Amino acid sequence: MLEDLDGYYAYLNHPAHLRLELEGIGLLARFEAFDITDSTDPDMKTKIDQVQARHFAENPELAALVAKAASFTRPGAEDATPSSS
């Protein structure tokens, strides 16, 4: 369990998580990401999306892999591109 958005950001950018993403995304036929929270903050989805967008912006090689993925979706996202995450 992650306590806050800073913890989520640290998780996304942990070397083991980044390595898994960089090595694994190209092997998947379909990737669907979703976030679960018990927060009552009505802006939490936007805040999570901003953390994801920062993650892709700071890791352009990952963003490029996701852009080439056969199927990458996030429920509720307008499209499947990293910039909408």
Side-chain angles (χ1 to χ4, degrees), residues 32-47:
E32 186 169 334
F34 58 92
D35 302 301
I36 299 171
T37 182
D38 61 358
S39 173
T40 59
D41 181 347
D43 297 322
M44 185 54 67
K45 180 189 177 318
T46 299
K47 292 174 182 179

Side-chain angles (χ1 to χ4, degrees), residues 2-82:
L2 302 169
E3 295 297 322
D4 56 27
L5 291 169
D6 290 335
Y8 182 49
Y9 176 77
Y11 159 76
L12 289 176
N13 288 289
H14 187 279
H17 184 263
L18 275 172
R19 185 174 58 248
L20 178 64
E21 288 183 308
L22 290 169
E23 294 177 6
I25 287 177
L27 302 174
L28 300 173
R30 188 182 99 196
F31 183 91
E32 186 169 334
F34 58 92
D35 302 301
I36 299 171
T37 182
D38 61 358
S39 173
T40 59
D41 181 347
D43 297 322
M44 185 54 67
K45 180 189 177 318
T46 299
K47 292 174 182 179
I48 289 171
D49 288 348
Q50 290 169 344
V51 171
Q52 286 279 346
R54 181 178 170 199
H55 175 60
F56 284 122
E58 292 176 358
N59 297 283
E61 66 280 15
L62 176 60
L65 281 174
V66 169
K68 293 179 193 175
S71 174
F72 182 91
T73 59
R74 292 190 67 232
E78 291 179 20
D79 59 35
T81 61

